[in-house]
mmCIF file of all heavy atoms in Angstrom:
data_model
loop_
_atom_site.group_PDB
_atom_site.id
_atom_site.type_symbol
_atom_site.label_atom_id
_atom_site.label_comp_id
_atom_site.label_asym_id
_atom_site.label_seq_id
_atom_site.Cartn_x
_atom_site.Cartn_y
_atom_site.Cartn_z
ATOM 1 N N GLY A 1 -10.160 21.544 -102.442
ATOM 2 C CA GLY A 1 -9.368 21.043 -103.519
ATOM 3 C C GLY A 1 -7.812 21.209 -103.158
ATOM 4 O O GLY A 1 -7.026 20.620 -103.831
ATOM 5 N N THR A 2 -7.509 22.069 -102.110
ATOM 6 C CA THR A 2 -6.120 22.317 -101.837
ATOM 7 C C THR A 2 -5.505 21.057 -101.041
ATOM 8 O O THR A 2 -6.224 20.488 -100.198
ATOM 9 C CB THR A 2 -5.996 23.459 -100.844
ATOM 10 O OG1 THR A 2 -6.569 24.609 -101.487
ATOM 11 C CG2 THR A 2 -4.607 23.813 -100.491
ATOM 12 N N LYS A 3 -4.403 20.553 -101.534
ATOM 13 C CA LYS A 3 -3.761 19.425 -100.821
ATOM 14 C C LYS A 3 -2.846 19.917 -99.632
ATOM 15 O O LYS A 3 -1.985 20.793 -99.930
ATOM 16 C CB LYS A 3 -2.901 18.653 -101.871
ATOM 17 C CG LYS A 3 -2.494 17.347 -101.254
ATOM 18 C CD LYS A 3 -1.864 16.416 -102.461
ATOM 19 C CE LYS A 3 -1.433 15.137 -101.908
ATOM 20 N NZ LYS A 3 -1.040 14.260 -102.922
ATOM 21 N N VAL A 4 -3.112 19.473 -98.500
ATOM 22 C CA VAL A 4 -2.444 20.039 -97.352
ATOM 23 C C VAL A 4 -1.908 18.839 -96.443
ATOM 24 O O VAL A 4 -2.349 17.723 -96.659
ATOM 25 C CB VAL A 4 -3.405 20.925 -96.457
ATOM 26 C CG1 VAL A 4 -3.883 22.101 -97.217
ATOM 27 C CG2 VAL A 4 -4.513 20.053 -95.894
ATOM 28 N N GLU A 5 -1.008 19.232 -95.573
ATOM 29 C CA GLU A 5 -0.501 18.353 -94.531
ATOM 30 C C GLU A 5 -0.839 19.056 -93.168
ATOM 31 O O GLU A 5 -0.292 20.154 -93.074
ATOM 32 C CB GLU A 5 0.947 17.930 -94.669
ATOM 33 C CG GLU A 5 1.458 16.987 -93.643
ATOM 34 C CD GLU A 5 2.847 16.449 -93.956
ATOM 35 O OE1 GLU A 5 2.974 15.589 -94.853
ATOM 36 O OE2 GLU A 5 3.736 16.942 -93.231
ATOM 37 N N VAL A 6 -1.528 18.499 -92.304
ATOM 38 C CA VAL A 6 -1.833 19.018 -90.964
ATOM 39 C C VAL A 6 -1.278 18.156 -89.848
ATOM 40 O O VAL A 6 -1.390 16.962 -89.904
ATOM 41 C CB VAL A 6 -3.383 19.337 -90.821
ATOM 42 C CG1 VAL A 6 -3.805 20.413 -91.812
ATOM 43 C CG2 VAL A 6 -4.102 18.025 -91.062
ATOM 44 N N SER A 7 -0.852 18.718 -88.840
ATOM 45 C CA SER A 7 -0.416 17.953 -87.716
ATOM 46 C C SER A 7 -1.115 18.524 -86.455
ATOM 47 O O SER A 7 -1.222 19.825 -86.311
ATOM 48 C CB SER A 7 1.082 18.064 -87.478
ATOM 49 O OG SER A 7 1.576 19.357 -87.408
ATOM 50 N N GLY A 8 -1.467 17.715 -85.565
ATOM 51 C CA GLY A 8 -2.163 18.242 -84.323
ATOM 52 C C GLY A 8 -2.532 17.035 -83.437
ATOM 53 O O GLY A 8 -1.990 15.929 -83.455
ATOM 54 N N THR A 9 -3.517 17.328 -82.509
ATOM 55 C CA THR A 9 -3.984 16.381 -81.529
ATOM 56 C C THR A 9 -5.375 15.849 -81.732
ATOM 57 O O THR A 9 -6.197 16.651 -82.167
ATOM 58 C CB THR A 9 -3.857 17.057 -80.118
ATOM 59 O OG1 THR A 9 -2.618 17.508 -79.880
ATOM 60 C CG2 THR A 9 -4.208 16.032 -78.960
ATOM 61 N N TRP A 10 -5.651 14.523 -81.618
ATOM 62 C CA TRP A 10 -6.950 14.018 -81.976
ATOM 63 C C TRP A 10 -7.813 14.172 -80.666
ATOM 64 O O TRP A 10 -7.446 13.705 -79.613
ATOM 65 C CB TRP A 10 -6.645 12.544 -82.232
ATOM 66 C CG TRP A 10 -7.897 11.803 -82.665
ATOM 67 C CD1 TRP A 10 -8.651 10.873 -82.060
ATOM 68 C CD2 TRP A 10 -8.739 12.032 -83.930
ATOM 69 N NE1 TRP A 10 -9.783 10.443 -82.657
ATOM 70 C CE2 TRP A 10 -9.764 11.097 -83.911
ATOM 71 C CE3 TRP A 10 -8.537 12.793 -85.070
ATOM 72 C CZ2 TRP A 10 -10.728 11.014 -84.902
ATOM 73 C CZ3 TRP A 10 -9.468 12.777 -86.054
ATOM 74 C CH2 TRP A 10 -10.457 11.867 -85.986
ATOM 75 N N ALA A 11 -9.008 14.637 -80.901
ATOM 76 C CA ALA A 11 -10.014 14.775 -79.870
ATOM 77 C C ALA A 11 -11.199 13.882 -80.300
ATOM 78 O O ALA A 11 -11.969 14.259 -81.326
ATOM 79 C CB ALA A 11 -10.488 16.192 -79.772
ATOM 80 N N ARG A 12 -11.417 12.781 -79.559
ATOM 81 C CA ARG A 12 -12.475 11.823 -79.984
ATOM 82 C C ARG A 12 -13.850 12.410 -79.568
ATOM 83 O O ARG A 12 -13.946 12.962 -78.499
ATOM 84 C CB ARG A 12 -12.172 10.466 -79.261
ATOM 85 C CG ARG A 12 -11.137 9.597 -79.869
ATOM 86 C CD ARG A 12 -10.903 8.426 -79.019
ATOM 87 N NE ARG A 12 -12.084 7.571 -78.977
ATOM 88 C CZ ARG A 12 -12.275 6.545 -79.830
ATOM 89 N NH1 ARG A 12 -11.464 6.359 -80.806
ATOM 90 N NH2 ARG A 12 -13.467 5.851 -79.710
ATOM 91 N N PHE A 13 -14.826 11.982 -80.287
ATOM 92 C CA PHE A 13 -16.228 12.214 -79.922
ATOM 93 C C PHE A 13 -16.560 10.991 -79.047
ATOM 94 O O PHE A 13 -16.219 9.961 -79.212
ATOM 95 C CB PHE A 13 -17.189 12.362 -81.162
ATOM 96 C CG PHE A 13 -16.909 13.545 -81.980
ATOM 97 C CD1 PHE A 13 -17.258 13.616 -83.350
ATOM 98 C CD2 PHE A 13 -16.310 14.740 -81.490
ATOM 99 C CE1 PHE A 13 -17.017 14.647 -84.111
ATOM 100 C CE2 PHE A 13 -16.066 15.806 -82.245
ATOM 101 C CZ PHE A 13 -16.403 15.835 -83.567
ATOM 102 N N PRO A 14 -17.516 11.238 -78.095
ATOM 103 C CA PRO A 14 -17.987 10.157 -77.233
ATOM 104 C C PRO A 14 -18.541 9.087 -77.945
ATOM 105 O O PRO A 14 -19.308 9.189 -78.993
ATOM 106 C CB PRO A 14 -19.073 10.832 -76.403
ATOM 107 C CG PRO A 14 -18.840 12.259 -76.388
ATOM 108 C CD PRO A 14 -18.230 12.441 -77.781
ATOM 109 N N ALA A 15 -18.205 7.791 -77.622
ATOM 110 C CA ALA A 15 -18.659 6.614 -78.410
ATOM 111 C C ALA A 15 -19.895 6.042 -77.659
ATOM 112 O O ALA A 15 -20.138 6.200 -76.445
ATOM 113 C CB ALA A 15 -17.563 5.510 -78.309
ATOM 114 N N PRO A 16 -20.784 5.372 -78.452
ATOM 115 C CA PRO A 16 -21.977 4.745 -77.816
ATOM 116 C C PRO A 16 -21.506 3.636 -76.912
ATOM 117 O O PRO A 16 -20.420 3.009 -77.074
ATOM 118 C CB PRO A 16 -22.706 4.217 -79.040
ATOM 119 C CG PRO A 16 -21.669 4.076 -80.169
ATOM 120 C CD PRO A 16 -20.715 5.158 -79.875
ATOM 121 N N GLU A 17 -22.385 3.398 -75.903
ATOM 122 C CA GLU A 17 -22.092 2.379 -74.829
ATOM 123 C C GLU A 17 -22.850 1.138 -75.085
ATOM 124 O O GLU A 17 -23.951 1.221 -75.576
ATOM 125 C CB GLU A 17 -22.282 2.987 -73.472
ATOM 126 C CG GLU A 17 -21.419 4.297 -73.150
ATOM 127 C CD GLU A 17 -21.724 4.768 -71.779
ATOM 128 O OE1 GLU A 17 -22.609 4.232 -71.118
ATOM 129 O OE2 GLU A 17 -21.085 5.759 -71.350
ATOM 130 N N GLY A 18 -22.249 0.053 -74.530
ATOM 131 C CA GLY A 18 -23.070 -1.195 -74.521
ATOM 132 C C GLY A 18 -22.760 -2.088 -75.718
ATOM 133 O O GLY A 18 -22.464 -1.568 -76.904
ATOM 134 N N PRO A 19 -22.770 -3.383 -75.558
ATOM 135 C CA PRO A 19 -22.530 -4.316 -76.687
ATOM 136 C C PRO A 19 -23.614 -4.249 -77.741
ATOM 137 O O PRO A 19 -24.788 -4.056 -77.345
ATOM 138 C CB PRO A 19 -22.368 -5.680 -76.026
ATOM 139 C CG PRO A 19 -23.203 -5.486 -74.766
ATOM 140 C CD PRO A 19 -22.983 -4.044 -74.302
ATOM 141 N N GLY A 20 -23.335 -4.507 -78.904
ATOM 142 C CA GLY A 20 -24.335 -4.413 -79.945
ATOM 143 C C GLY A 20 -24.834 -2.969 -80.292
ATOM 144 O O GLY A 20 -25.891 -2.941 -81.024
ATOM 145 N N ALA A 21 -24.247 -1.980 -79.816
ATOM 146 C CA ALA A 21 -24.602 -0.633 -80.232
ATOM 147 C C ALA A 21 -24.566 -0.364 -81.701
ATOM 148 O O ALA A 21 -23.683 -1.037 -82.427
ATOM 149 C CB ALA A 21 -23.742 0.473 -79.435
ATOM 150 N N TRP A 22 -25.351 0.501 -82.265
ATOM 151 C CA TRP A 22 -25.345 0.773 -83.656
ATOM 152 C C TRP A 22 -23.920 1.174 -84.012
ATOM 153 O O TRP A 22 -23.305 2.039 -83.278
ATOM 154 C CB TRP A 22 -26.328 1.719 -83.954
ATOM 155 C CG TRP A 22 -27.785 1.245 -83.741
ATOM 156 C CD1 TRP A 22 -28.514 1.613 -82.869
ATOM 157 C CD2 TRP A 22 -28.520 0.365 -84.679
ATOM 158 N NE1 TRP A 22 -29.764 0.960 -82.990
ATOM 159 C CE2 TRP A 22 -29.754 0.171 -84.086
ATOM 160 C CE3 TRP A 22 -28.173 -0.387 -85.795
ATOM 161 C CZ2 TRP A 22 -30.768 -0.636 -84.543
ATOM 162 C CZ3 TRP A 22 -29.095 -1.163 -86.328
ATOM 163 C CH2 TRP A 22 -30.416 -1.372 -85.712
ATOM 164 N N PRO A 23 -23.382 0.868 -85.257
ATOM 165 C CA PRO A 23 -22.026 1.436 -85.630
ATOM 166 C C PRO A 23 -22.088 2.832 -85.893
ATOM 167 O O PRO A 23 -23.106 3.413 -86.357
ATOM 168 C CB PRO A 23 -21.758 0.552 -86.866
ATOM 169 C CG PRO A 23 -23.081 0.237 -87.409
ATOM 170 C CD PRO A 23 -23.942 0.016 -86.143
ATOM 171 N N ARG A 24 -21.014 3.497 -85.590
ATOM 172 C CA ARG A 24 -20.807 5.022 -85.816
ATOM 173 C C ARG A 24 -20.422 5.285 -87.106
ATOM 174 O O ARG A 24 -19.807 4.483 -87.806
ATOM 175 C CB ARG A 24 -19.867 5.557 -84.717
ATOM 176 C CG ARG A 24 -20.114 5.255 -83.312
ATOM 177 C CD ARG A 24 -18.905 5.630 -82.448
ATOM 178 N NE ARG A 24 -18.684 7.048 -82.472
ATOM 179 C CZ ARG A 24 -17.562 7.604 -81.989
ATOM 180 N NH1 ARG A 24 -16.683 6.822 -81.511
ATOM 181 N NH2 ARG A 24 -17.404 8.857 -82.008
ATOM 182 N N ASN A 25 -20.633 6.508 -87.608
ATOM 183 C CA ASN A 25 -20.057 7.052 -88.813
ATOM 184 C C ASN A 25 -18.658 7.328 -88.645
ATOM 185 O O ASN A 25 -18.325 8.394 -87.759
ATOM 186 C CB ASN A 25 -20.903 8.200 -89.288
ATOM 187 C CG ASN A 25 -20.439 8.794 -90.662
ATOM 188 O OD1 ASN A 25 -19.406 8.386 -91.179
ATOM 189 N ND2 ASN A 25 -21.181 9.671 -91.326
ATOM 190 N N PRO A 26 -17.747 6.769 -89.092
ATOM 191 C CA PRO A 26 -16.209 7.102 -88.915
ATOM 192 C C PRO A 26 -15.937 8.552 -89.213
ATOM 193 O O PRO A 26 -14.910 8.985 -88.682
ATOM 194 C CB PRO A 26 -15.405 6.079 -89.763
ATOM 195 C CG PRO A 26 -16.455 4.965 -90.091
ATOM 196 C CD PRO A 26 -17.832 5.590 -90.153
ATOM 197 N N ALA A 27 -16.704 9.149 -90.108
ATOM 198 C CA ALA A 27 -16.299 10.561 -90.490
ATOM 199 C C ALA A 27 -16.529 11.440 -89.320
ATOM 200 O O ALA A 27 -15.989 12.570 -89.258
ATOM 201 C CB ALA A 27 -17.270 11.045 -91.694
ATOM 202 N N TRP A 28 -17.232 10.946 -88.233
ATOM 203 C CA TRP A 28 -17.597 11.805 -87.107
ATOM 204 C C TRP A 28 -16.963 11.138 -85.886
ATOM 205 O O TRP A 28 -17.441 11.277 -84.737
ATOM 206 C CB TRP A 28 -19.065 12.046 -86.864
ATOM 207 C CG TRP A 28 -19.705 12.766 -87.975
ATOM 208 C CD1 TRP A 28 -20.417 12.360 -89.111
ATOM 209 C CD2 TRP A 28 -19.642 14.228 -88.048
ATOM 210 N NE1 TRP A 28 -20.827 13.324 -89.837
ATOM 211 C CE2 TRP A 28 -20.395 14.531 -89.244
ATOM 212 C CE3 TRP A 28 -19.235 15.266 -87.305
ATOM 213 C CZ2 TRP A 28 -20.620 15.828 -89.688
ATOM 214 C CZ3 TRP A 28 -19.582 16.587 -87.716
ATOM 215 C CH2 TRP A 28 -20.128 16.846 -88.848
ATOM 216 N N ALA A 29 -15.774 10.456 -86.095
ATOM 217 C CA ALA A 29 -15.154 9.827 -84.895
ATOM 218 C C ALA A 29 -14.498 10.831 -84.049
ATOM 219 O O ALA A 29 -14.452 10.616 -82.841
ATOM 220 C CB ALA A 29 -14.093 8.798 -85.470
ATOM 221 N N GLY A 30 -14.020 11.964 -84.603
ATOM 222 C CA GLY A 30 -13.425 12.996 -83.746
ATOM 223 C C GLY A 30 -12.974 14.132 -84.586
ATOM 224 O O GLY A 30 -13.353 14.269 -85.800
ATOM 225 N N THR A 31 -12.286 15.029 -83.977
ATOM 226 C CA THR A 31 -11.712 16.206 -84.756
ATOM 227 C C THR A 31 -10.204 16.329 -84.443
ATOM 228 O O THR A 31 -9.749 16.045 -83.310
ATOM 229 C CB THR A 31 -12.374 17.421 -84.194
ATOM 230 O OG1 THR A 31 -13.783 17.388 -84.373
ATOM 231 C CG2 THR A 31 -11.834 18.706 -84.818
ATOM 232 N N LEU A 32 -9.423 16.558 -85.546
ATOM 233 C CA LEU A 32 -8.062 16.824 -85.351
ATOM 234 C C LEU A 32 -7.851 18.356 -85.081
ATOM 235 O O LEU A 32 -8.202 19.236 -85.872
ATOM 236 C CB LEU A 32 -7.281 16.488 -86.684
ATOM 237 C CG LEU A 32 -5.701 16.669 -86.524
ATOM 238 C CD1 LEU A 32 -5.139 15.653 -85.643
ATOM 239 C CD2 LEU A 32 -5.114 16.637 -87.903
ATOM 240 N N GLU A 33 -7.408 18.635 -83.807
ATOM 241 C CA GLU A 33 -7.055 20.013 -83.413
ATOM 242 C C GLU A 33 -5.675 20.360 -84.009
ATOM 243 O O GLU A 33 -4.636 20.004 -83.330
ATOM 244 C CB GLU A 33 -7.154 20.212 -81.945
ATOM 245 C CG GLU A 33 -8.600 19.892 -81.343
ATOM 246 C CD GLU A 33 -9.574 20.879 -81.648
ATOM 247 O OE1 GLU A 33 -9.217 22.050 -82.087
ATOM 248 O OE2 GLU A 33 -10.829 20.546 -81.529
ATOM 249 N N ALA A 34 -5.651 21.082 -85.120
ATOM 250 C CA ALA A 34 -4.407 21.235 -85.842
ATOM 251 C C ALA A 34 -3.567 22.266 -85.194
ATOM 252 O O ALA A 34 -4.119 23.365 -84.813
ATOM 253 C CB ALA A 34 -4.687 21.446 -87.385
ATOM 254 N N ARG A 35 -2.218 22.102 -85.208
ATOM 255 C CA ARG A 35 -1.321 23.139 -84.738
ATOM 256 C C ARG A 35 -0.592 23.755 -85.983
ATOM 257 O O ARG A 35 -0.242 24.854 -85.921
ATOM 258 C CB ARG A 35 -0.318 22.554 -83.741
ATOM 259 C CG ARG A 35 -0.896 22.021 -82.460
ATOM 260 C CD ARG A 35 0.195 21.675 -81.424
ATOM 261 N NE ARG A 35 1.172 20.805 -82.097
ATOM 262 C CZ ARG A 35 1.091 19.426 -82.240
ATOM 263 N NH1 ARG A 35 0.085 18.847 -81.625
ATOM 264 N NH2 ARG A 35 2.049 18.673 -82.680
ATOM 265 N N GLU A 36 -0.269 22.930 -86.969
ATOM 266 C CA GLU A 36 0.421 23.430 -88.091
ATOM 267 C C GLU A 36 -0.229 22.852 -89.360
ATOM 268 O O GLU A 36 -0.769 21.798 -89.366
ATOM 269 C CB GLU A 36 1.887 22.842 -88.023
ATOM 270 C CG GLU A 36 2.717 23.335 -86.842
ATOM 271 C CD GLU A 36 4.126 22.771 -86.814
ATOM 272 O OE1 GLU A 36 4.428 21.968 -87.741
ATOM 273 O OE2 GLU A 36 4.893 23.018 -85.951
ATOM 274 N N VAL A 37 -0.066 23.668 -90.407
ATOM 275 C CA VAL A 37 -0.698 23.464 -91.655
ATOM 276 C C VAL A 37 0.343 23.872 -92.752
ATOM 277 O O VAL A 37 0.857 24.907 -92.761
ATOM 278 C CB VAL A 37 -2.102 24.262 -91.913
ATOM 279 C CG1 VAL A 37 -2.554 23.843 -93.306
ATOM 280 C CG2 VAL A 37 -3.037 24.089 -90.823
ATOM 281 N N ALA A 38 0.628 22.850 -93.683
ATOM 282 C CA ALA A 38 1.544 23.149 -94.835
ATOM 283 C C ALA A 38 0.771 22.833 -96.035
ATOM 284 O O ALA A 38 0.168 21.696 -96.288
ATOM 285 C CB ALA A 38 2.746 22.199 -94.643
ATOM 286 N N VAL A 39 0.785 23.683 -97.032
ATOM 287 C CA VAL A 39 0.067 23.575 -98.292
ATOM 288 C C VAL A 39 1.051 22.773 -99.172
ATOM 289 O O VAL A 39 2.254 23.296 -99.446
ATOM 290 C CB VAL A 39 -0.390 24.929 -98.909
ATOM 291 C CG1 VAL A 39 -0.935 24.642 -100.235
ATOM 292 C CG2 VAL A 39 -1.333 25.506 -97.941
ATOM 293 N N HIS A 40 0.622 21.697 -99.826
ATOM 294 C CA HIS A 40 1.513 20.905 -100.712
ATOM 295 C C HIS A 40 1.110 21.331 -102.074
ATOM 296 O O HIS A 40 2.096 21.349 -103.011
ATOM 297 C CB HIS A 40 1.212 19.402 -100.570
ATOM 298 C CG HIS A 40 1.982 18.816 -99.447
ATOM 299 N ND1 HIS A 40 2.916 17.842 -99.593
ATOM 300 C CD2 HIS A 40 2.005 19.099 -98.074
ATOM 301 C CE1 HIS A 40 3.469 17.507 -98.425
ATOM 302 N NE2 HIS A 40 2.930 18.277 -97.503
ATOM 303 N N SER A 41 -0.030 21.541 -102.560
ATOM 304 C CA SER A 41 -0.410 22.030 -103.874
ATOM 305 C C SER A 41 -1.603 22.686 -103.914
ATOM 306 O O SER A 41 -2.637 22.283 -103.075
ATOM 307 C CB SER A 41 -0.405 20.792 -104.813
ATOM 308 O OG SER A 41 -1.367 19.827 -104.445
ATOM 309 N N PRO A 42 -1.870 23.665 -104.738
ATOM 310 C CA PRO A 42 -3.193 24.335 -104.822
ATOM 311 C C PRO A 42 -4.202 23.529 -105.564
ATOM 312 O O PRO A 42 -3.756 22.486 -106.075
ATOM 313 C CB PRO A 42 -2.782 25.581 -105.714
ATOM 314 C CG PRO A 42 -1.687 25.205 -106.527
ATOM 315 C CD PRO A 42 -0.941 24.170 -105.632
ATOM 316 N N PRO A 43 -5.532 23.952 -105.602
ATOM 317 C CA PRO A 43 -6.488 23.051 -106.251
ATOM 318 C C PRO A 43 -6.171 22.958 -107.811
ATOM 319 O O PRO A 43 -5.672 23.930 -108.381
ATOM 320 C CB PRO A 43 -7.772 23.850 -106.036
ATOM 321 C CG PRO A 43 -7.466 24.792 -104.911
ATOM 322 C CD PRO A 43 -6.001 25.109 -104.878
ATOM 323 N N ARG A 44 -6.451 21.819 -108.248
ATOM 324 C CA ARG A 44 -6.178 21.546 -109.761
ATOM 325 C C ARG A 44 -7.364 20.777 -110.332
ATOM 326 O O ARG A 44 -7.731 19.724 -109.630
ATOM 327 C CB ARG A 44 -4.860 20.738 -109.914
ATOM 328 C CG ARG A 44 -3.592 21.523 -109.527
ATOM 329 C CD ARG A 44 -2.383 20.905 -110.239
ATOM 330 N NE ARG A 44 -2.360 19.436 -110.066
ATOM 331 C CZ ARG A 44 -1.734 18.889 -108.990
ATOM 332 N NH1 ARG A 44 -1.027 19.702 -108.003
ATOM 333 N NH2 ARG A 44 -1.657 17.593 -108.873
ATOM 334 N N MET A 45 -7.921 21.296 -111.380
ATOM 335 C CA MET A 45 -9.068 20.515 -111.883
ATOM 336 C C MET A 45 -8.694 19.069 -112.421
ATOM 337 O O MET A 45 -9.542 18.124 -112.381
ATOM 338 C CB MET A 45 -9.657 21.299 -113.122
ATOM 339 C CG MET A 45 -10.278 22.561 -112.808
ATOM 340 S SD MET A 45 -11.773 22.397 -111.788
ATOM 341 C CE MET A 45 -12.904 21.569 -112.943
#
């Protein structure tokens, strides 16, 4: 619930090969390797 701003480098996960491949889940497209984190606001109900 913490609102943050993160900056870093994007590391892609390997993509399926070939035309007509099943679509990927975008949530697992890759990982952001963060270098800096700034908290904007704490969790609020």
Side-chain angles (χ1 to χ4, degrees):
T2 304
K3 192 169 185 177
V4 298
E5 183 173 285
V6 293
S7 59
T9 305
W10 184 251
R12 285 176 61 92
F13 292 157
E17 298 180 358
W22 295 104
R24 304 168 63 192
N25 184 351
W28 296 95
T31 299
L32 182 69
E33 300 290 343
R35 298 189 309 273
E36 297 179 359
V37 182
V39 176
H40 276 242
S41 62
R44 296 198 308 270
M45 290 296 294

